[in-house]
């Protein structure tokens, strides 16, 4: 099933990636080819098969939630693209008024 | 022999007996990098000063008689693994300025032992690729033929080890990213069982597939590095608490009597190169001469592994890579509003293949398609695991080629992503099942390109995989 340019644009918006028109065209073609290949899975009868989401068999791995002093707080702040007074700065989320 | 050409075992013995110092060994690797990296492009960052400083400290450790087998040994790290104080880009422009604030657990263990971090290896961005042509820092070239690919995604790591720019490398394997380039570059690469080594500090691609392991010049070296890396980590809840065997001792056990399975589906793969098949068969004969019992086995769901892999991995990917949005770290490409920051930062910071994988994953997980793609693939994954479980009732290991063909030309498959995905046909299934597999050199084609064979073992049974790989490489 080929995917359309509109579908590519819709997924790209969901994935928060701006694409150029040329990229949209290329992705529509290559993703259609990939999805077409995936049809091979329809040959497999999976009616009574449970899905595998992880391979370790581990369940409920807990640790105590104790605060620890972090030695890297300043480094993390230094990595932020825009800071003010030692805190992260982003454009306003809500418009005022 | 130049110092940079030594294995870990040889270099460690030389350091301990004071034949040479870690500073001299490190300088030999740095000289090789200076001479060759421009042609091969195996490193994104070279840590000259830092490495020589760490080497000096390692020499002091050796003088005091402390440390271990990795003390003073220069190693390189895939750039998708965090290294404290050193730029870690994942080969993505969105992290072009990212200085990791901490070491990945496996790197911390090696550096605490006095390992010398020499630089960061080029790779397909965030591990997305099989040819190392999807790096935003340019493709890696194969040291055996500069017109060919090095393989991916850990192409820089494999090329650096093959070209003696470091003594060994730490890389990451989600669906073949250690084994595949190791095979194309003629070195040893181990994908450990999922959960054997901590993933903490590894830039995540697919959290139910990602593993971190060594690329080395010998299987004995792989055992040494694994001994330091392996073990559970409170910072990775998916790491397993199973005891870690003494890998170097396991290597020396005899292999006579082991049952070696030859899965017919792997040899029937379309596009299989005749020289690759012949070199693999020669290795099977070598194992038979060493007293192994060769058994034909069938893994009927093999042909579905790539489809399963390329649905599940992009799905996990699209979720994992959502953290790269230009907000808290990395390169922010806009200041207009939040939506624009996300869209522009990701547009400028990711290469086309990363965008493609995120789009495929987003599609496979979206309402209306989830059952048809993601859930279907997760069910077939169960059947692929069952294939292996059944096979390992009959045999101790499986032997296959690592790649259906030797290194191909740069650009040859660049416009056909599906053709590149299918290059993973031999390495994908073990990744889907979370079991260990090693690629060891099997010889070269007439035109001088390396070929690797893959030994696959049951879950957490790295020991037997290393043992068979070691026996094969001694007989090479």
């Amino acid at each position: 099933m080929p995917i359309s340019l509109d579908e590519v644009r819709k997924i790209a918006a969901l994935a928060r990636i701006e694409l150029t028109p040329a990229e949209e065209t290329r992705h529509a073609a290559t993703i259609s080819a990939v999805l077409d290949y995936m049809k091979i899975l329809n040959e497999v009868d999976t009616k009574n098969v449970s899905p595998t989401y992880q391979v370790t068999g581990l369940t409920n791995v807990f640790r105590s939630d104790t605060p620890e002093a972090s030695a890297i707080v300043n480094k993390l702040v230094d990595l932020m693209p825009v800071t003010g007074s030692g805190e992260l700065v982003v454009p306003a989320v809500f418009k005022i008024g | 022999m130049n110092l940079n050409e030594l294995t870990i075992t040889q270099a460690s013995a030389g350091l301990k007996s004071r034949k040479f110092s870690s500073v001299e060994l490190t300088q030999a690797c740095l000289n090789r990098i200076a001479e060759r990296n421009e042609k091969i492009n195996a490193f994104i960052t070279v840590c000259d000063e830092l490495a020589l400083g760490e080497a000096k400290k390692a020499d002091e450790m050796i003088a005091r008689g402390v440390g271990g087998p990795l003390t003073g040994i220069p190693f390189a790290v895939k750039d998708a693994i965090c290294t404290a104080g050193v730029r870690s880009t994942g080969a993505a422009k969105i992290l072009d300025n990212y200085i990791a604030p901490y070491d990945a657990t496996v790197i911390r263990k090696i550096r605490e032992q006095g390992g010398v971090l020499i630089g960061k290896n080029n790779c397909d961005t965030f591990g997305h690729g099989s040819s190392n042509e999807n790096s935003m820092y340019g493709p890696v070239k194969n040291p055996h033929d500069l017109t060919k690919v090095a393989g991916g995604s850990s192409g820089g790591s494999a090329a650096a080890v093959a070209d003696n720019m470091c003594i060994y490398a730490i890389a990451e394997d989600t669906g073949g990213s250690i084994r595949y380039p190791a095979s194309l570059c003629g070195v040893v690469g181990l994908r450990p069982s999922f959960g054997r080594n901590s993933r903490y500090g590894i830039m995540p691609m697919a959290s139910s597939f990602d593993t971190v392991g060594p690329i080395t010049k010998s299987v004995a070296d792989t055992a040494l590095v694994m001994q330091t890396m392996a073990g559970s980590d409170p910072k990775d809840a998916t790491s397993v608490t199973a005891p870690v065997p003494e890998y170097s001792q396991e290597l020396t056990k005899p292999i006579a009597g082991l049952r070696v399975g030859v899965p017919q589906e792997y040899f029937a793969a379309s596009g299989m190169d005749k020289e690759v098949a012949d070199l693999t068969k020669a290795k099977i004969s070598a194992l038979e001469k060493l007293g192994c019992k060769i058994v034909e086995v069938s893994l009927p769901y093999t042909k579905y592994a790539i489809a399963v892999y390329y649905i599940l991995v992009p799905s996990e990917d699209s979720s994992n890579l959502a953290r790269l949005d230009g907000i808290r770290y990395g390169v922010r490409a806009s200041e207009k509003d939040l939506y624009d920051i996300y869209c522009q930062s990701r547009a400028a910071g990711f290469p086309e293949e990363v965008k493609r994988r995120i789009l495929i994953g987003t599609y496979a997980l979206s309402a209306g398609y989830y059952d048809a793609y993601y859930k279907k693939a997760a069910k077939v994954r169960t059947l692929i695991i069952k294939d292996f479980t059944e096979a390992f009732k009959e045999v101790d290991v499986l032997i296959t080629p690592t790649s259906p063909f030797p290194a191909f030309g740069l650009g040859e498959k660049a416009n056909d992503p599906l053709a590149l995905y299918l290059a993973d046909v031999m390495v994908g299934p073990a990744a889907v099942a979370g079991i260990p597999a090693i690629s060891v050199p099997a010889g070269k084609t007439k035109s001088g390109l390396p070929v690797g064979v893959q030994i696959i073992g049951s879950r957490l049974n790295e020991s037997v995989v290393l043992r068979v790989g070691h026996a094969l490489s001694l007989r090479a």
Side-chain angles (χ1 to χ4, degrees), chain B residues 268-290:
Chain B
S270 63
M272 167 84 88
D273 180 272
K274 187 172 178 304
E275 284 186 275
V276 170
D278 289 347
L279 286 165
T280 308
K281 282 172 191 159
K283 286 295 178 191
I284 296 171
S285 305
L287 288 178
E288 195 167 20
K289 284 195 192 105
L290 290 168

Side-chain angles (χ1 to χ4, degrees), chain B residues 437-457:
Chain B
I438 196 169
S439 179
V440 296
K444 285 184 178 178
T445 62
K446 287 190 191 80
S447 55
L449 292 174
V451 168
V453 289
Q454 177 178 232
I455 308 294
I456 306 173

Side-chain angles (χ1 to χ4, degrees), chain A:
Chain A
M1 185 181 61
I3 75 163
S4 65
L5 281 176
D6 274 347
E7 280 179 293
V8 170
R9 288 184 195 119
K10 192 179 158 203
I11 313 165
L14 288 172
R16 303 288 189 265
I17 301 173
E18 181 158 298
L19 299 177
T20 64
E23 281 180 312
E24 288 170 358
T25 308
R26 285 199 300 275
H27 284 307
T30 54
I31 294 173
S32 292
V34 170
L35 292 177
D36 193 51
Y37 175 74
M38 301 311 181
K39 277 198 231 150
I40 188 177
L41 295 182
N42 295 333
E43 295 172 9
V44 186
D45 179 5
T46 51
K47 216 184 331 170
N48 297 313
V49 181
S50 314
T52 295
Y53 297 120
Q54 52 109 331
V55 297
T56 61
L58 296 168
T59 51
N60 298 338
V61 179
F62 294 122
R63 61 169 172 78
S64 54
D65 190 18
T66 33
E68 286 173 37
S70 172
I72 61 168
V73 173
N74 290 336
K75 287 182 190 168
L76 294 174
V77 173
D78 288 345
L79 284 168
M80 292 173 181
V82 187
T83 53
S85 324
E87 289 176 352
L88 176 68
V89 174
V90 293
V93 178
F94 300 108
K95 287 204 175 88
I96 298 166

Side-chain angles (χ1 to χ4, degrees), chain B residues 101-114:
Chain B
Y102 60 88
D103 275 323
T105 297
V106 291
I107 302 302
R108 177 181 56 76
K109 287 176 167 182
I110 294 170
R111 289 177 93 178
E112 278 174 0
Q113 201 187 104

Side-chain angles (χ1 to χ4, degrees), chain B residues 99-449:
Chain B
I99 311 287
Y102 60 88
D103 275 323
T105 297
V106 291
I107 302 302
R108 177 181 56 76
K109 287 176 167 182
I110 294 170
R111 289 177 93 178
E112 278 174 0
Q113 201 187 104
V116 176
L117 174 63
I118 200 160
K120 300 299 294 287
N121 290 128
N122 198 353
C123 55
D124 286 301
T125 301
F126 301 129
H128 296 84
S130 307
S131 65
N132 216 136
E133 295 171 290
N134 296 331
S135 166
M136 293 182 99
Y137 296 82
V140 176
K141 317 240 171 88
N142 194 309
H144 297 271
D145 179 345
L146 298 176
T147 68
K148 306 282 190 202
V149 301
S153 70
S154 311
S157 310
V161 175
D163 205 59
N164 297 305
M165 295 191 255
C166 55
I167 306 298
Y168 71 101
I170 300 300
E172 177 276 333
D173 187 313
T174 300
S177 288
I178 286 176
R179 292 162 287 154
Y180 197 76
S183 136
L184 268 47
C185 291
V187 290
V188 176
L190 173 75
R191 173 199 170 86
S193 307
F194 179 86
R196 177 58 95 182
N197 294 343
S198 166
R199 292 183 297 114
Y200 180 72
I202 314 300
M203 292 180 193
M205 180 173 159
S207 301
S208 79
F209 289 79
D210 295 346
T211 63
V212 54
I215 294 182
T216 60
K217 299 173 191 174
S218 77
V219 180
D221 281 6
T222 303
L224 283 177
V225 182
M226 273 300 287
Q227 205 69 55
T228 300
M229 292 175 86
S232 68
D233 177 10
K235 287 178 169 160
D236 174 6
T238 62
S239 61
V240 296
T241 53
V244 177
E246 293 293 327
Y247 293 119
S248 294
Q249 284 176 26
E250 293 286 329
L251 282 189
T252 59
K253 289 186 182 165
I255 65 160
L258 285 181
R259 298 160 304 166
V260 177
V262 180
Q264 53 185 38
E265 288 80 5
Y266 284 70
F267 290 84
S270 63
M272 167 84 88
D273 180 272
K274 187 172 178 304
E275 284 186 275
V276 170
D278 289 347
L279 286 165
T280 308
K281 282 172 191 159
K283 286 295 178 191
I284 296 171
S285 305
L287 288 178
E288 195 167 20
K289 284 195 192 105
L290 290 168
C292 293
K293 192 178 170 223
I294 309 299
V295 185
E296 269 222 0
V297 295
S298 174
L299 301 165
Y301 290 99
T302 299
K303 69 168 172 174
Y304 304 109
I306 294 299
V308 167
Y309 181 86
Y310 279 99
I311 291 173
L312 297 182
V313 171
S315 297
E316 295 186 21
D317 239 335
S318 67
S319 160
N320 268 326
L321 293 179
R323 79 191 65 200
L324 296 167
D325 56 8
I327 297 292
R328 291 162 301 148
Y329 52 86
V331 177
R332 190 184 285 184
S334 156
E335 282 299 336
K336 201 172 127 203
D337 54 42
L338 289 180
Y339 185 81
D340 204 55
I341 291 178
Y342 303 147
C343 292
Q344 300 297 339
S345 303
R346 289 158 70 79
F350 294 154
E352 182 148 325
E353 182 59 27
V354 173
K355 294 175 192 173
R356 178 162 28 249
R357 304 261 183 124
I358 293 173
L359 295 175
I360 293 172
T362 306
Y363 182 83
L365 291 176
S366 58
Y369 297 108
Y370 174 86
D371 281 340
Y373 289 99
Y374 184 79
K375 201 163 181 192
K376 179 78 183 180
K379 286 179 171 184
V380 182
R381 186 180 194 182
T382 304
L383 296 172
I384 291 168
I385 294 171
K386 193 162 162 273
D387 258 3
F388 282 112
T389 311
E390 292 299 317
F392 287 122
K393 286 179 187 165
E394 311 293 325
V395 298
D396 299 294
V397 292
L398 297 164
I399 184 167
T400 78
T402 309
S403 165
F405 31 72
F408 46 90
L410 286 155
E412 199 180 305
K413 297 181 196 285
N415 295 320
D416 189 354
L418 185 59
L420 266 179
Y421 295 177
L422 292 172
D424 289 343
V425 63
M426 308 284 166
V427 284
V432 169
I435 55 181
I438 196 169
S439 179
V440 296
K444 285 184 178 178
T445 62
K446 287 190 191 80
S447 55
L449 292 174

